[in-house]
Amino acid sequence: MPSVRVVVTGIGIISPLGLDAETTWRRILAGHSGIDHITFFDTAGYATTIGGELKGFAPEEYLGPKEAKRTDRFAQLAVAAAKQAVDDAGLKLTAKVRENMGVIIGNGIGGLSTLYQQTIVLHEKGPNRLSPFAVPMMIADMASGWVSIALGLKGPNFCTTSACASGSDAIGIAGELIRSGYCPLMLAGGSEAAINPLGIASFSALKALSGRNDPPPEASCPFDAKHDGFVMSEGASVLVLEDMEHARRRGAKIIAELIGYGATADAFHITQPLPNGDGAARAIRQALARAKLKPADIDYVNAHGTSTPLNDRTETRALKAALGPHAYKVPISSTKSMTGHLIGAAGAIEAAFCALTIRDGLIPPTINLHHPDPECDLDYVPGKARRKQVKVALSNSFGFGGHNSVLILHQVEEDTC
């Protein structure tokens, strides 16, 4: 039986840089930042006052007014990105497609804004005033649930929650479901919307966020000596993953092929990565082995690159351990320098950027990298996008709890599709 090949045929993105994939990608290549002062609430007294908020997002464009009011923002974003991805794929949702198409949407926190708001209602007005929609609005599976409901998709449906690796794990597992022959089509990605008083205060208490609030666009500076924490952002990214033969039969455009997935655990600490990078390096090696590739085959790495000293240094060690001498030759960039950290959606949007890098032959830059941390001595594509034909791109995602997830995407030649 011939092996099933999994391809990306559609991309949806809602980000601080734009409310669709092409706008976001254009601004990424131009080196723009989506980070600004937080406007969702009064940040007086907060150590961190910046974030990557969406500008102009209207959930009613993707859900009816009634449904939008009964849906947390993280689920709204997932529905928006999913609908964009389906449109981008030129996919007609016939009864047969709906019956066989699944959904996996990762997120790290779920409906934190609903939890925060309803806790205030409980304390100020009492238990009888809570919304009957509080639970379905805040539970983590509701992004995938709402995507399924909004599009009528009846295949496998669940969420992945592995902190900042959630979106990558969603894509990796969805690819495995297609590869196993379980279903020919999946929507997979991640969403997050945790910019609220509880989210910002909690991550600040953990000392995870940057405290360099002015100017906001310069706060996220992965691999730079000034890196002092990540910048929280909101957004979503969803990919249409498809059995290549299915895609060929319907004449779909193929953006890239998903050929590798690695997932490991550090088994070390609740928030800190394993200092020598071994867990991350093993995930990279796993993905390479699944893809039947050598380190020298990697043309580009989209780094996890959070702008925290621990992550940036550990990831650098992991890349050196997994790729050997090739680590010094391959271009690496952190798009979080522009998007900020989308937590559970980070891996999904970065996988999308890898697919677009393969499509366009343009490697996004790492902005705000002026004085590299001495322990971060690889080629991080500082400042400006770089033109290069990329056949193979690797995307790293590492999360609290020691979760490591790595994806590898490959260019598909015209004569093979």
Side-chain angles (χ1 to χ4, degrees):
M1 180 179 177
S3 60
V4 174
R5 297 173 66 181
V6 179
V7 294
V8 178
T9 57
I11 296 174
I13 294 175
I14 305 284
S15 83
L17 286 163
L19 301 182
D20 60 77
E22 294 303 329
T23 301
T24 297
W25 181 234
R26 185 170 64 250
R27 299 195 72 208
I28 284 285
L29 293 177
H32 293 169
S33 171
I35 309 305
D36 206 339
H37 293 291
I38 291 171
T39 62
F40 289 170
F41 62 93
D42 184 355
T43 58
Y46 287 74
T48 293
T49 63
I50 55 174
E53 297 176 340
L54 301 183
K55 300 171 181 67
F57 176 69
E60 297 82 5
E61 293 180 8
Y62 300 94
L63 291 162
K66 183 186 292 185
E67 288 80 6
K69 289 180 181 178
R70 297 174 177 176
T71 310
D72 189 272
R73 190 172 176 88
F74 87 104
Q76 295 170 353
L77 302 181
V79 171
K83 287 189 172 182
Q84 287 184 11
V86 168
D87 288 345
D88 185 50
L91 187 60
K92 295 181 180 179
L93 296 181
T94 63
K96 184 177 180 180
V97 167
R98 287 190 165 102
E99 192 77 24
N100 292 287
M101 189 170 187
V103 182
I104 308 176
I105 305 295
N107 66 86
I109 305 172
L112 190 65
S113 292
T114 296
L115 175 62
Y116 172 71
Q117 292 159 2
Q118 290 298 298
T119 300
I120 293 173
V121 171
L122 174 64
H123 282 278
E124 292 183 352
K125 299 182 180 180
N128 296 325
R129 298 297 298 276
L130 291 181
S131 168
F133 298 99
V135 169
M137 287 176 70
M138 67 185 179
I139 55 179
D141 68 306
M142 274 300 162
S144 57
W146 263 111
V147 169
S148 170
I149 293 165
L151 295 173
L153 307 181
K154 300 176 182 179
N157 183 281
F158 55 93
C159 72
T160 51
T161 301
S162 45
C164 310
S166 300
S168 291
D169 281 330
I171 292 168
I173 293 167
E176 293 303 303
L177 283 175
I178 296 172
R179 220 179 306 278
S180 70
Y182 197 86
C183 56
L185 285 155
M186 293 290 297
L187 278 173
S191 66
E192 205 75 78
I195 300 180
N196 57 54
L198 181 58
I200 296 297
S202 297
F203 278 95
S204 290
L206 193 59
K207 307 298 183 185
L209 298 183
S210 173
R212 295 189 301 109
N213 297 308
D214 288 300
E218 297 180 12
S220 184
C221 54
F223 308 111
D224 190 89
K226 290 184 178 179
H227 52 183
D228 69 331
F230 71 80
V231 178
M232 184 181 289
S233 293
E234 60 172 354
S237 181
V238 175
L239 308 182
V240 174
L241 298 180
E242 194 166 350
D243 177 336
M244 180 183 276
E245 291 303 314
H246 187 280
R248 289 176 61 186
R249 285 195 298 271
R250 70 179 188 87
K253 74 175 188 302
I254 293 177
I255 304 168
E257 181 177 1
L258 176 63
I259 62 170
Y261 170 50
T264 66
D266 283 352
F268 171 67
H269 192 273
I270 55 173
T271 57
Q272 296 178 16
L274 194 61
N276 64 7
D278 179 67
R282 286 189 297 110
I284 295 170
R285 292 191 195 103
Q286 270 190 14
L288 285 168
R290 293 296 300 278
K292 296 181 172 59
L293 295 177
K294 300 174 183 177
D297 294 322
I298 301 299
D299 297 314
Y300 167 63
V301 175
N302 188 295
H304 188 53
T306 59
S307 191
T308 66
L310 275 176
N311 174 85
D312 293 351
R313 294 167 186 166
T314 299
E315 185 171 14
T316 298
R317 294 178 194 126
L319 286 166
K320 291 176 182 178
L323 302 182
H326 187 62
Y328 290 92
K329 302 174 183 178
V330 63
I332 302 158
S333 63
S334 172
T335 44
K336 287 186 180 73
S337 60
M338 296 168 280
T339 65
H341 195 344
L342 275 68
I343 315 295
I349 196 170
E350 288 154 15
F353 292 154
C354 284
L356 294 170
T357 293
I358 289 169
R359 184 194 71 178
D360 293 347
L362 287 165
I363 294 174
T366 302
I367 68 167
N368 302 323
L369 179 52
H370 305 296
H371 305 287
D373 181 320
E375 295 186 47
C376 300
D377 57 349
L378 302 178
D379 177 9
Y380 304 111
V381 193
K384 294 183 180 180
R386 185 179 301 173
R387 185 169 293 280
K388 178 185 177 181
Q389 183 181 12
V390 173
K391 290 187 176 181
V392 183
L394 183 147
S395 180
N396 286 335
S397 295
F398 313 128
F400 286 174
H403 308 290
N404 305 302
S405 181
V406 175
L407 301 171
I408 298 179
L409 289 92
H410 192 282
Q411 183 184 56
V412 178
E413 304 294 342
E414 289 294 328
D415 59 359
T416 67
C417 64

